[in-house]
Amino acid sequence: RGEDVGVCPLCSGCVTHMAAPTTSGTARGVAKARDIESMLPPELRLVDDPYAAAMAGWRTPRWLLRCSGHGLRQAISDALTCPGYVQLMVARTRLFDDEVVRACAPTAPGEARTPCTQLLILGAGFCTRGSRLPIPPHVRVYEVDQPSVQAAKRRLMAEAQRAARKSERAASASGRIVYLPLDLSEAALDAALRAHPGYDPAAPTVVTVEGLTQYMPAEAVAATLEALGRATGPGSRLVASYVDARVHTDPAAACGEGYPAHALARVAAFAERANEPWLSSWPPPPPGGRAAMGPFGRLLAAHGRWRAERDESAGEANEAFFAPIGRRIPPSSLCMMERFVVAAKGDSGGGGFGLDGGDTTE
């Protein structure tokens, strides 16, 4: 259809009109996945984002989207990209949401954990956590991304907040968000954070690195982790995602039994067409091994003194979140090309996604 091209399905789970160079196509794609999930009844949805529709930039009229419903939109996404991409994005969003809320929550009696007082979102794109999550009002939110992406996000967020207020689903926390325009490939992260008068590098901070590492060279990821180590205090938490390297070497290992593994070959092509090629990936920890023993866990330990506590697959998230509400993803639709890591800094308390499993700390 001429100008219609696909954006990276790892971040979109759908096909959409290519974003202009000044915006992030992948950021819009993530918002689309959140919006599709938000179409479900409250008792069935894992993510509820009243701002996602405005962020997504749908070309289809809203009334038609609502008429088509969650099931059809997800089926179209699966047909146009790869099976299970919306679910993968929903699982990732929910895991990150839960970790952020838990990290910022007041401690319970006897709990060995320091509540985080800052939320730092790297490569924020069109993330809405600072506005929609139930985190304490004193927690300051810092969003880091390229200036052009932030300009588009702020414009769309103003529209989204107006719409959300009408639906009585809006949070009233957006005033605490601080936007830090920064290109991580060109500027020193810790210096930029320290230069901001409100940011406290000694405070316990929960950091999210979501859907970002695959777009950075490995050495840039290491440098970013080092900078985060210098710019966060004891008790800080980090939650990150990374692409499973088996996507390139053994695709069948990065999806469920019966999944059309050949379909994964389209993912990198979508990223290239969105002008956001994948540059890095890491193998998972060895079977039965601790998170810190995996390549990404060792990277965290070597750069910034982060201790990996959990390194989970989308399959584990499927059992933790989708299965309990009767939405277990069948193996033939289970895409596990991304993994999710929670790490602690210093002697901060344990925790993670609340997924069952053995001890994954060193």
Side-chain angles (χ1 to χ4, degrees):
R1 290 174 297 184
E3 62 180 357
D4 284 352
V5 299
V7 301
C8 171
L10 184 60
C11 289
S12 69
C14 54
V15 166
T16 182
H17 181 263
M18 184 65 175
T22 55
T23 62
S24 171
T26 53
R28 286 187 181 276
V30 175
K32 289 176 186 290
R34 296 197 306 266
D35 191 44
I36 290 172
E37 180 70 10
S38 298
M39 293 178 182
L40 285 169
E43 67 274 11
L44 292 179
R45 69 174 73 122
L46 293 175
V47 174
D48 181 20
D49 188 344
Y51 312 109
M55 295 289 175
W58 294 106
R59 300 186 69 184
T60 306
R62 188 65 182 163
W63 66 266
L64 184 56
L65 287 173
R66 286 296 179 189
C67 289
S68 63
H70 172 273
L72 180 57
R73 293 302 304 174
Q74 185 166 288
I76 292 172
S77 169
D78 286 353
L80 294 177
T81 57
C82 294
Y85 270 108
V86 168
Q87 294 101 318
L88 178 63
M89 291 297 97
V90 168
R92 190 177 80 181
T93 299
R94 177 59 183 263
L95 290 168
F96 276 62
D97 284 357
D98 283 1
E99 181 63 22
V100 167
V101 170
R102 196 199 72 83
C104 296
T107 55
E111 185 180 6
R113 177 178 62 84
T114 303
C116 292
T117 57
Q118 297 178 145
L119 168 58
L120 175 59
I121 305 174
L122 294 193
F126 295 163
C127 177
T128 59
R129 287 192 177 93
S131 298
R132 64 181 173 81
L133 290 187
I135 54 180
H138 66 273
V139 175
R140 182 66 67 90
V141 180
Y142 295 86
E143 294 193 6
V144 177
D145 211 326
Q146 299 180 50
S148 60
V149 176
Q150 289 197 336
K153 191 268 179 78
R154 297 181 77 163
R155 175 179 57 81
L156 292 170
M157 195 64 185
E159 299 172 6
Q161 287 173 327
R162 286 193 292 271
R165 278 194 290 269
K166 293 178 181 179
S167 68
E168 299 182 351
R169 293 165 61 204
S172 58
S174 58
R176 66 179 167 198
I177 298 175
V178 176
Y179 294 93
L180 296 178
L182 185 69
D183 188 333
L184 292 175
S185 66
E186 299 176 356
L189 174 62
D190 55 329
L193 290 170
R194 290 173 180 273
H196 191 278
Y199 186 83
D200 183 0
T205 304
V206 56
V207 183
T208 65
V209 187
E210 181 184 13
L212 178 62
T213 59
Q214 65 263 36
Y215 301 109
M216 303 171 67
E219 58 271 19
V221 175
T224 298
L225 294 173
E226 289 272 10
L228 289 172
R230 294 189 295 266
T232 56
S236 292
R237 308 279 296 171
L238 182 145
V239 56
S241 64
Y242 69 90
V243 167
D244 187 329
R246 296 176 299 180
V247 169
H248 307 295
T249 60
D250 183 13
C255 50
E257 184 177 356
Y259 186 98
H262 65 274
L264 299 184
R266 295 202 297 262
V267 178
F270 274 115
E272 291 280 354
R273 292 170 68 186
N275 296 318
E276 296 177 328
W278 290 0
L279 303 176
S280 299
S281 60
W282 291 263
R290 297 175 179 177
M293 294 170 57
F296 201 85
R298 294 197 299 270
L299 180 74
L300 288 166
H303 301 279
R305 295 179 290 116
W306 298 99
R307 184 182 72 254
E309 294 180 345
R310 308 188 77 88
D311 188 323
E312 307 286 354
S313 73
E316 290 159 294
N318 182 28
E319 295 304 312
F321 296 113
F322 288 93
I325 56 174
R327 294 178 57 198
R328 178 183 278 111
I329 305 168
S332 59
S333 296
L334 185 58
C335 177
M336 300 186 293
M337 62 166 33
E338 235 186 5
R339 296 184 66 88
F340 317 110
V341 177
V342 163
K345 183 182 178 185
D347 56 355
S348 60
F353 299 144
L355 304 180
D356 294 335
D359 179 14
T360 55
T361 61
E362 286 196 311

